[in-house]
Amino acid sequence: MAGDSVAAVEPERGSWGGKLDFFMSCVGYAVGLGNVWRFPYLCFRNGGGAFLVPYVIMLALAGLPMFFFELALGQFASLGPISIWRVNPLFRGIGFAVVMISTMVCVYYNVLIMYGMFYLMVSIISLDGDLPWMSCTNSWNTPACTMEARPSFDNLTDVDKLNITMRHMEPDCVNTTLSQMNLNYSDLTYNLTISNFTACNDTKSWRLITPSEEYWSNFVLNIDQAEDLGNVGGVSLKLAFVLLLSWIVLFFCLKKGVQTSGKVVYFMATFPYVVLVCLLVRGVTLDGYMLGINFYIIPKWERLLDVTVWREAATQIFYSLGPGFGSLITMASYNPFKHNCHRDAIIVSLINCGTSVFAGFVIFSVLGFMAHTTNQDVQDVAVDGPGLVFVVYPEGIARMPVAPLWAFLFFFMLVALGLDSQFGMMESIISAIIDEFPAFLRRHRTIFTLFCHLTGFLLGLPLVTKGGIWVLTLMNDYCASYALLLICLCELVAVIWVYGLKKFCRDVELMLGFQPNYYWQATWLVVTPLAIIVMIVVSFVQYSPSYYGDYMFPPWAQDVGWVMVSVPIGVIFVTMVIQIIRHGSIRNAVKPTDSWGPAKPAHRTGKYAITNPAFQQDGETETKNGSLPNSDIEMAVGKDILEDTDRTTKF
């Protein structure tokens, strides 16, 4: 029989090995690099403690509903992000778009992990000595490098203050202003200068070029040897080697899927918290730590009236929890059918937010120390992204006793945070493709996983050229932005609006034993889609071109970025056209396939019940939606499903 032959050749899909494997994997996936290098800076820049108000609100309106929605969807059908669209074949292109975006993100995200590994290896080598970014006497340093603090004006005379201030003034501007005021240089005083010559201040000349900045730019990146994005230079062999090492580590963690990653994540998800506690204890013992803490937490309530604050809160909670990448669907698909993913969604979301807030204290205690020792304001040393974890924080560590040890712990934590998130994204790509060709690829999972990792390494080589950081920045700014938001919106439309909210809630009840309450239903149906639409519109209105440091990328590079945005979106709509042609009409294309439902026969009860799932007569023809009815009962059930779909989609 056909059903028996398929069952004989198709291996088991696999599942989590322990009860906590899934929970720890979700924590590791949600808590990533952004919690450390993005959230604290956003909080400081957008009103301090007041930023937590829009952050928590957007968690409730958008982040948490999408998180639970994807977990429930994946667990119910036990399918990857492409095959899951048996629920609504018209939107099958969402699965392809998800794989494309996850692939692009995995390519550059592993380069970020590679940077952490590089610094980690350097820290280990330096444990018996000094870190290489502790001095300005290295071959990669320039005369502009300085370890001296900005002069403190507290104990200086007015004459000394005036002399120092004038060294940081634009001469032409000063001469013009003096002429307009009918004054000479001899008439200048410090108070006159700061009150009337502020327009002449050369702010860039005040900026300290630290050893850690030159180590990052001139030694790690070698960016001084690149011209622009059109000529990024050759591949850095040292970075290419560490990149290969990072992909090898990732391969051995994922070669058997969740059976291996589920064990590794116990350490990877918990160790960062140990390091964060150690770094916080060290941070609050440093001079000036309260300068940073105050800048981080003191609320500026007036900032809540700024729409930018709300947009950045929504964006941060959205990308931090990670819906839309297919990872949540994939991880939940390996759960037992009756697993309480509702509980896990709430707990993991709270842990993610709590970690972000806690990491802010760790980061800003050291930034306060940096501001104190260099006589700068905290806002002058606070940055986000790679600049924070590879320049500013290492500089703060270099000024601590036993600096190599703290550097080792910090970069070990970064690598662990990055790998956790990479596990989820890479597994979603692999599982999505394997679920499409299970009979062959499940038997050769290790070989296929190796192929995927080798491909990822090769695609990452342009990012380890001399100007590779520019390529990475361009990809980071575009490939997971608008397209990701649109994917999440399409998911809600496909399942909640077209498949039907009531039907999805009954599916969740079949799985968990209770229906989602009115909060979940209201957010899935109206609130979250509206929040996503507002995020997309505001992001378009406040769009700014991609840049790195003082280098604004040329227009052709911005166009390449928009291509990265457009291609996944285009795939969704092209696939819709193909599905309509394939199924004969939109009405047929939105009908769930007969194979939609719980994966195991034991769980296919109620409308999903099949009298004999293995029985199929030879010569049976396909139905219009591309699946085979197994019995008259299944045909009747299918009819009820379609009728119910027609009723529930008329909102």
Side-chain angles (χ1 to χ4, degrees):
M1 297 179 188
D4 292 334
S5 63
V6 172
V9 299
E10 188 172 303
E12 288 290 331
R13 189 170 185 270
S15 60
W16 297 105
K19 292 184 178 180
L20 288 178
D21 289 9
F22 169 72
F23 177 79
M24 298 302 294
S25 295
C26 282
V27 171
Y29 170 72
V31 179
L33 296 175
N35 298 74
V36 174
W37 76 18
R38 179 111 177 108
F39 174 84
Y41 178 76
L42 286 179
C43 193
F44 148 73
R45 190 176 71 182
N46 292 298
F51 182 70
L52 295 178
V53 175
Y55 186 71
V56 172
I57 291 176
M58 295 314 299
L59 168 67
L61 298 184
L64 181 57
M66 281 303 305
F67 198 84
F68 177 43
F69 168 77
E70 289 200 349
L71 292 186
L73 184 65
Q75 181 173 308
F76 179 77
S78 299
L79 294 170
I82 296 178
S83 302
I84 197 75
W85 294 106
R86 296 174 187 175
V87 65
N88 191 334
L90 180 67
F91 288 86
R92 182 177 172 82
I94 294 176
F96 299 126
V98 162
V99 171
M100 293 177 66
I101 292 176
S102 294
T103 299
M104 290 188 287
V105 173
C106 281
V107 168
Y108 78 75
Y109 201 81
N110 217 41
V111 174
L112 295 174
I113 297 173
M114 176 274 296
Y115 289 141
M117 282 189 173
F118 183 89
Y119 273 80
L120 175 63
M121 295 164 65
V122 171
S123 301
I124 294 174
I125 295 172
S126 305
L127 282 173
D128 290 332
D130 293 332
L131 295 167
W133 60 86
M134 292 180 68
S135 69
C136 290
T137 58
N138 302 287
S139 59
W140 56 82
N141 292 123
T142 67
C145 178
T146 179
M147 297 181 62
E148 298 179 359
R150 178 187 290 182
S152 174
F153 283 17
D154 293 342
N155 299 315
L156 296 180
T157 65
D158 284 350
V159 174
D160 291 333
K161 294 178 182 178
L162 176 62
N163 291 333
I164 293 173
T165 303
M166 291 303 298
R167 288 201 295 267
H168 297 281
M169 292 281 186
E170 293 282 356
D172 293 340
C173 179
V174 172
N175 291 332
T176 301
T177 306
L178 285 172
S179 176
Q180 293 173 348
M181 299 177 66
N182 295 321
L183 297 175
N184 298 316
Y185 272 94
S186 58
D187 299 321
L188 287 175
T189 64
Y190 174 68
N191 290 332
L192 178 67
T193 303
I194 62 174
S195 60
N196 294 280
F197 289 77
T198 53
C200 301
N201 190 24
D202 182 9
T203 55
K204 290 185 178 180
S205 68
W206 286 99
R207 193 176 71 85
L208 300 177
I209 300 179
T210 60
S212 63
E213 181 176 350
E214 292 201 337
Y215 179 77
W216 166 247
S217 299
N218 300 343
F219 180 74
V220 178
L221 300 179
N222 293 126
I223 199 172
D224 56 324
Q225 300 177 29
E227 296 182 10
D228 52 37
L229 264 174
N231 186 4
V232 294
V235 172
S236 170
L237 294 181
K238 67 177 184 293
L239 295 184
F241 173 79
V242 183
L243 180 63
L244 177 62
L245 179 62
S246 67
W247 279 107
I248 290 174
V249 171
L250 189 64
F251 165 72
F252 279 103
C253 292
L254 291 177
K255 67 176 183 176
K256 292 186 178 180
V258 295
Q259 295 178 352
T260 50
S261 66
K263 304 305 178 187
V264 176
V265 79
Y266 279 89
F267 173 77
M268 291 296 190
T270 55
F271 179 73
Y273 289 96
V274 176
V275 177
L276 283 173
V277 171
C278 293
L279 290 173
L280 179 62
V281 172
R282 184 67 186 102
V284 297
T285 61
L286 298 171
D287 294 335
Y289 79 94
M290 278 305 298
L291 294 173
I293 298 297
N294 288 336
F295 266 89
Y296 174 54
I297 64 172
I298 292 179
K300 303 177 182 64
W301 300 110
E302 65 277 6
R303 293 303 310 280
L304 295 181
L305 300 177
D306 187 351
V307 67
T308 302
V309 174
W310 290 84
R311 178 185 66 83
E312 294 198 336
T315 302
Q316 174 60 20
I317 192 64
F318 211 81
Y319 292 134
S320 180
L321 290 175
F325 289 103
S327 303
L328 298 176
I329 292 175
T330 301
M331 290 189 292
S333 70
Y334 293 104
N335 275 343
F337 186 71
K338 298 291 185 179
H339 181 79
N340 191 349
C341 60
H342 174 266
R343 173 199 59 204
D344 290 348
I346 296 174
I347 296 176
V348 171
S349 298
L350 294 177
I351 290 175
N352 173 70
C353 295
T355 303
S356 297
V357 175
F358 183 74
F361 288 97
V362 176
I363 296 298
F364 272 88
S365 62
V366 175
L367 293 185
F369 167 69
M370 273 284 294
H372 173 76
T373 57
T374 60
N375 294 321
Q376 299 183 82
D377 293 329
V378 175
Q379 60 262 36
D380 294 330
V381 298
V383 296
D384 67 336
L388 173 63
V389 296
F390 298 123
V391 176
V392 177
Y393 206 87
E395 182 67 25
I397 289 176
R399 296 171 184 265
M400 299 180 190
V402 201
L405 176 61
W406 294 109
F408 166 76
L409 290 175
F410 178 71
F411 290 112
F412 200 152
M413 177 193 70
L414 282 187
V415 171
L417 288 173
L419 283 175
D420 281 345
S421 299
Q422 189 77 329
F423 288 164
M425 288 187 290
M426 200 65 196
E427 179 61 32
S428 71
I429 299 170
I430 296 170
S431 293
I433 300 174
I434 288 179
D435 283 348
E436 289 298 292
F437 310 98
F440 176 74
L441 289 181
R442 282 182 189 168
R443 292 181 178 275
H444 304 92
R445 181 188 171 94
T446 301
I447 296 176
F448 179 68
T449 302
L450 177 62
F451 169 77
C452 291
H453 285 70
L454 178 60
T455 302
F457 166 70
L458 295 176
L459 292 175
L461 288 179
L463 281 69
V464 293
T465 55
K466 303 300 191 289
I469 189 67
W470 296 332
V471 182
L472 185 151
T473 302
L474 186 70
M475 294 181 68
N476 179 59
D477 289 346
Y478 282 99
C479 68
S481 56
Y482 305 98
L484 193 68
L485 293 172
L486 188 62
I487 282 175
C488 291
L489 180 62
C490 288
E491 287 181 353
L492 291 173
V493 170
V495 177
I496 302 302
W497 284 85
V498 181
Y499 175 67
L501 173 63
K502 293 180 180 178
K503 292 182 64 177
F504 182 67
C505 288
R506 287 199 293 267
D507 290 344
V508 174
E509 183 179 19
L510 177 65
M511 179 173 62
L512 301 182
F514 60 88
Q515 281 209 10
N517 59 34
Y518 289 124
Y519 161 73
W520 299 112
Q521 296 185 38
T523 51
W524 289 339
L525 186 64
V526 178
V527 179
T528 302
L530 285 178
I532 294 174
I533 292 172
V534 171
M535 290 167 62
I536 294 174
V537 172
V538 174
S539 296
F540 267 113
V541 172
Q542 298 185 343
Y543 163 77
S544 60
S546 182
Y547 64 92
Y548 179 82
D550 296 329
Y551 175 38
M552 179 69 69
F553 299 151
W556 67 264
Q558 311 293 343
D559 293 340
V560 171
W562 283 111
V563 169
M564 290 188 285
V565 173
S566 304
V567 171
I569 297 175
V571 167
I572 295 176
F573 292 103
V574 170
T575 305
M576 283 183 175
V577 174
I578 295 174
Q579 292 291 80
I580 293 172
I581 296 173
R582 179 183 175 191
H583 292 273
S585 67
I586 295 179
R587 182 183 179 86
N588 289 334
V590 299
K591 296 175 181 178
T593 65
D594 294 336
S595 58
W596 167 250
K600 295 184 178 180
H603 299 136
R604 297 184 71 94
T605 59
K607 66 182 181 181
Y608 296 107
I610 301 175
T611 55
N612 185 2
F615 177 75
Q616 177 182 304
Q617 292 182 353
D618 293 335
E620 280 187 312
T621 58
E622 291 189 355
T623 61
K624 286 185 178 180
N625 61 352
S627 58
L628 290 169
N630 289 312
S631 66
D632 292 336
I633 293 179
E634 185 180 356
M635 288 287 287
V637 171
K639 182 178 179 181
D640 291 338
I641 294 173
L642 301 182
E643 290 175 352
D644 189 65
T645 302
D646 291 338
R647 291 193 300 270
T648 56
T649 53
K650 295 177 182 178
F651 289 98

